[in-house]
Amino acid sequence: MKKNLSIPHFLYFFSSLSFSQNIDSEKLLTHIEFLSSDELAGRKPLSQGSFAARKYILDELTSYPTVEALYPDFIQLFSFLSGRDLKKYEDAANLVGFIPGSRSRKVIVVTAHYDHVGTGRPNAAGDSIFNGADDNASGTAALLTLAEYFSKNRPIHSMMFVALDAEEMGLRGAKALVNDFPYPLEQILLNVNMDMLSRSDKNELYASGTSHNPQFRPILEKVAAGSNPKLLLGHDTPGSGREDWTKSSDHGAFF
């Protein structure tokens, strides 16, 4: 499957759908602030901070009208063996909400990983915390905001909103989702993955995916015209090494 699109800025995505005026920016920032707080200690899978993030995301997701469960209690559990610390991680959790489409059986899967890398070496002030505001409290906040919007504005296509676990440990949550998808994979119309949503110091944003999916280029070019920050397409050219982001985040599992 090659229909993947990594969009690195939620304000761009919101404006492209022409509903930015309906977004509660203060609530969106509240999501980011909580998920990246010291209290959550970097949200490493199966840590207390991860469990706190799970509860926060589930409380939000299940409070939106018309959002349905596809897995028990909105949770898809999975386990994996980490190649980094050779540890078995039991019951990591993807958090999945679903909104049925009004006229289509196709599914748009919107993803963002809520895990990060936890804490580092202790220092004089205690453990150093990798808060992960950009990576990826920002994408998770956008995911919740999109889910809330579409729960009140029913989409034509069905939409699945998935807060993925264990991206930092090898796209584990995304791979688990694809391997245990609740519908035939042929029903997936598009994966929109939101990871590290921030503009660069050059005031630039990148949307990756059109090299493999040129049908989306005219849509993105229309949005990019006169945009501020400047929207660029790229980082998806085969053979460009580390400059190719096609498999660099959870969209890689869908690709």
Side-chain angles (χ1 to χ4, degrees), residues 59-81:
D59 285 349
E60 280 293 319
L61 197 60
T62 58
S63 73
Y64 305 150
T66 74
V67 173
E68 301 178 0
L70 295 175
Y71 300 89
D73 299 320
F74 294 84
I75 302 173
Q76 181 199 31
L77 296 174
F78 65 96
S79 300
F80 64 95
L81 178 66

Side-chain angles (χ1 to χ4, degrees), residues 1 8-9 13 54-55 58 75 80 107 111-112 142 161 165 174 186 203 209 220 230 237 250:
M1 175 156 310
H9 199 281
F13 185 57
R54 284 190 202 181
K55 184 179 186 305
L58 284 172
I75 302 173
F80 64 95
V107 182
T111 53
F161 296 90
D165 203 357
E186 291 74 20
N203 200 37
L220 296 175
K230 186 177 181 180
T237 303
D250 289 314

Side-chain angles (χ1 to χ4, degrees), residues 161-195:
F161 296 90
V162 190
L164 294 162
D165 203 357
E167 186 271 352
E168 299 286 359
M169 306 182 82
L171 318 186
R172 302 292 185 164
K175 292 174 181 177
L177 177 66
V178 171
N179 289 335
D180 182 30
F181 203 74
Y183 299 104
L185 293 178
E186 291 74 20
Q187 284 185 230
I188 300 176
L189 179 65
L190 172 69
N191 167 233
V192 179
N193 183 48
M194 299 180 292
D195 193 355

Side-chain angles (χ1 to χ4, degrees), residues 29 37 39 52 59 66 70 100 113 121-122 132 148 167 254:
L29 289 173
S37 64
E39 177 186 347
D59 285 349
T66 74
L70 295 175
H113 74 91
R121 294 179 179 178
E148 183 174 17
E167 186 271 352
F254 290 87

Side-chain angles (χ1 to χ4, degrees), residues 5 10 29 37 47 71 79 96 104 112 115 130 133 142 155 173 190 213 229:
L5 192 64
F10 53 84
L29 289 173
S37 64
S47 67
Y71 300 89
S79 300
V96 185
S104 172
D115 67 292
F130 297 97
L190 172 69
N213 302 277

Side-chain angles (χ1 to χ4, degrees), residues 11-207:
L11 293 181
Y12 150 68
F13 185 57
F14 289 167
S15 65
S16 73
L17 295 177
S18 301
F19 59 61
S20 58
Q21 68 274 15
N22 296 314
I23 296 303
D24 185 340
S25 59
E26 291 187 6
K27 186 175 182 181
L28 189 150
L29 289 173
T30 296
H31 295 331
I32 297 176
E33 289 169 358
F34 176 77
L35 292 169
S36 62
S37 64
D38 286 354
E39 177 186 347
L40 270 60
R43 309 184 307 280
K44 187 174 181 178
L46 302 184
S47 67
Q48 291 303 308
S50 174
F51 293 137
R54 284 190 202 181
K55 184 179 186 305
Y56 181 90
I57 294 165
L58 284 172
D59 285 349
E60 280 293 319
L61 197 60
T62 58
S63 73
Y64 305 150
T66 74
V67 173
E68 301 178 0
L70 295 175
Y71 300 89
D73 299 320
F74 294 84
I75 302 173
Q76 181 199 31
L77 296 174
F78 65 96
S79 300
F80 64 95
L81 178 66
S82 170
R84 294 182 181 179
D85 54 16
L86 300 180
K87 176 182 175 180
K88 182 70 177 291
Y89 285 78
E90 298 276 1
D91 293 340
N94 293 330
L95 314 175
V96 185
F98 181 76
I99 299 174
S102 62
R103 286 184 282 164
S104 172
R105 291 173 56 84
K106 294 290 186 179
V107 182
I108 296 174
V109 186
V110 182
T111 53
H113 74 91
Y114 68 93
D115 67 292
H116 197 48
V117 297
T119 57
R121 294 179 179 178
N123 53 36
D127 287 344
S128 57
I129 298 173
F130 297 97
N131 298 88
D134 180 31
D135 188 12
N136 187 33
S138 58
T140 305
L143 180 88
L144 292 173
T145 303
L146 286 166
E148 183 174 17
Y149 175 86
F150 283 108
S151 73
K152 300 172 184 176
N153 300 272
R154 189 177 182 184
I156 293 174
H157 300 296
S158 295
M159 297 187 73
M160 189 182 301
F161 296 90
V162 190
L164 294 162
D165 203 357
E167 186 271 352
E168 299 286 359
M169 306 182 82
L171 318 186
R172 302 292 185 164
K175 292 174 181 177
L177 177 66
V178 171
N179 289 335
D180 182 30
F181 203 74
Y183 299 104
L185 293 178
E186 291 74 20
Q187 284 185 230
I188 300 176
L189 179 65
L190 172 69
N191 167 233
V192 179
N193 183 48
M194 299 180 292
D195 193 355
M196 299 182 69
L197 308 189
S198 64
R199 60 176 178 262
S200 71
D201 55 5
K202 297 180 181 179
N203 200 37
E204 296 173 342
L205 312 174
Y206 273 92

